[in-house]
């Protein structure tokens, strides 16, 4: 199955962002892709919203999801993209939504690991998800989904692989900074190598983010990639055959002696201490 990652610079207007996503989705479909993965903040960039953030989320989440569904069904391609979903509280969820090529919602994933690092505190405005990990079937593959900072937690990718993920899709707005491109590229390749699975990562190309979207094979070899282009797609043929070939001579999942299990624990860095 051909898979594309779409890179762009989300603005503060949902409709305008959907126009760009439709253009990229159509380009991917014209190239034979059955799935396109878009970045975190595809709905809108927090820093570019001109009204109250929570109010914008309440007003725009449903129309964003409906817009994605229309793109998927009208273009004929499955879509994974990130936005902000109301939680019923002041802080919304940072949510990925997976939609099939008929426009049906397959799964939603609410970001578990909030970016409270490098002098940034995502938990001050975002509520952490507690719904666990998500693996969704698309086009004959099992696809695990994660968001940005999740990439720094190898146990999450391993749990997705143990649940049968052939491809891990990462939607990100990876901040620029010293060594940050190196971290991004190294972590993506490591997650692929240590789990002998494919990884497809879509990054935003805004002024404070690195872009560098890429698709990596189970040996950690980039198959197609972008750099800091403001808009574009990268595409690769993602196959079970390649996974089987690599696991024949590198059976790390079969050789492991420590079992994998996970428990979602409270977010201790949330405002006021522990987030229940």
């Amino acid at each position: 199955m051909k898979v594309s990652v779409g890179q762009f610079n989300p603005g503060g207007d949902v409709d305008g962002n959907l126009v760009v996503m439709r253009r990229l989705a159509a380009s991917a479909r014209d190239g034979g892709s059955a799935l396109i993965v878009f970045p975190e903040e595809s709905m809108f960039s927090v820093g570019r919203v001109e009204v109250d953030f929570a109010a914008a989320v309440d007003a725009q989440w449903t129309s964003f999801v409906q817009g994605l569904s229309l793109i998927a069904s009208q273009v004929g391609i499955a879509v994974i993209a990130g936005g902000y979903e109301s939680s019923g509280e002041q802080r919304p969820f940072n949510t990925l939504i997976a939609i099939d090529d008929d426009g049906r919602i397959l799964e939603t994933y609410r970001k578990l690991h909030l970016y409270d690092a490098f002098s940034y505190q995502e938990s001050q405005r975002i509520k952490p998800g507690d719904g666990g990990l998500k693996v969704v079937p698309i086009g004959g593959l099992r696809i695990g989904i994660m968001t940005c900072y999740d990439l720094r937690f190898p146990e999450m990718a391993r749990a997705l692989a143990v649940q049968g993920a052939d491809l891990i899709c990462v939607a990100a707005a990876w901040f620029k900074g010293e060594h940050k491109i190196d971290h991004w590229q190294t972590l993506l390749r490591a997650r692929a190598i240590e789990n002998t699975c494919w990884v497809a990562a879509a990054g935003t190309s805004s002024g404070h983010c690195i872009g560098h979207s890429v698709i990596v094979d189970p040996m950690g070899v980039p198959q197609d990639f972008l750099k800091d282009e403001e808009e574009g797609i990268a595409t690769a043929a993602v196959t079970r055959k390649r996974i089987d070939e690599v696991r024949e001579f590198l059976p790390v999942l079969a050789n492991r002696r420590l079992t994998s299990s996970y428990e979602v624990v409270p977010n201790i860095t949330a405002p006021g201490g522990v987030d229940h």
Side-chain angles (χ1 to χ4, degrees), residues 1-267:
M1 179 177 83
K2 277 192 175 182
V3 173
S4 293
V5 289
Q7 178 169 300
F8 74 109
N9 178 9
D13 174 58
V14 172
D15 291 338
N17 294 332
L18 288 169
V19 168
V20 176
M21 295 168 75
R22 177 181 289 271
R23 181 166 62 242
L24 293 173
S27 178
R29 188 70 190 94
D30 288 345
S33 289
L35 166 67
I36 185 165
V37 184
F38 288 110
E40 182 182 23
E41 287 203 316
S42 289
M43 177 175 161
F44 52 56
S45 177
V46 172
R48 300 176 72 178
V49 175
E50 297 181 355
V51 297
D52 176 75
F53 172 57
V57 171
D58 289 342
Q60 298 294 332
W61 170 252
T62 298
S63 62
F64 175 65
V65 174
Q66 291 173 342
L68 286 181
S69 294
L70 281 175
I71 290 172
S73 62
Q74 292 175 356
V75 175
I77 190 169
V79 173
I80 295 173
Y84 295 103
E85 174 195 10
S86 178
S87 68
E89 303 175 9
Q90 183 64 24
R91 293 180 299 153
F93 295 114
N94 186 337
T95 299
L96 287 183
I97 186 161
I99 298 174
D100 71 11
D101 59 5
D102 288 325
R104 295 174 299 188
I105 297 173
L106 298 174
E107 191 59 90
T108 57
Y109 162 70
R110 294 164 177 166
K111 187 177 182 182
L112 285 172
H113 299 101
L114 300 185
Y115 185 58
D116 290 353
F118 292 99
S119 301
Y120 191 86
Q121 292 289 311
E122 186 178 16
S123 64
Q124 290 184 356
R125 58 178 178 80
I126 300 297
K127 182 178 176 64
D130 58 7
L133 309 185
K134 300 298 174 70
V135 178
V136 58
I138 296 177
L141 296 176
R142 289 181 57 78
I143 297 173
I145 50 181
M146 62 169 60
T147 306
C148 205
Y149 193 47
D150 287 332
L151 183 63
R152 292 187 181 271
F153 299 85
E155 64 273 19
M156 180 169 177
R158 173 53 54 87
L160 290 169
V162 169
Q163 290 184 28
D166 304 305
L167 166 66
I168 295 175
C169 291
V170 185
W174 199 265
F175 280 6
K176 290 179 177 178
E178 188 175 8
H179 306 304
K180 294 297 289 296
I181 292 176
D182 287 340
H183 285 196
W184 170 250
Q185 294 173 339
T186 299
L187 290 165
L188 290 169
R189 296 180 69 185
R191 299 297 86 88
I193 293 166
E194 67 199 8
N195 295 300
T196 54
C197 67
W198 292 84
V199 173
T204 64
S205 57
S206 59
H208 62 280
C209 293
I210 64 168
H212 282 260
S213 302
V214 63
I215 300 175
V216 181
D217 85 350
M219 280 292 286
V221 180
Q223 300 300 296
D224 196 12
F225 62 91
L226 300 167
K227 293 187 178 180
D228 59 358
E229 297 96 320
E230 182 161 347
E231 184 178 316
I233 62 171
T235 301
V238 175
T239 66
R240 269 294 320 180
K241 179 182 178 182
R242 182 57 176 155
I243 296 172
D244 294 340
E245 289 172 349
V246 172
R247 290 181 180 176
E248 181 68 24
F249 59 79
L250 184 60
V252 290
L253 293 182
N255 291 160
R256 64 197 173 93
R257 298 183 64 192
L258 299 175
T259 60
S260 296
S261 61
Y262 73 88
E263 176 186 2
V264 178
V265 299
N267 176 34

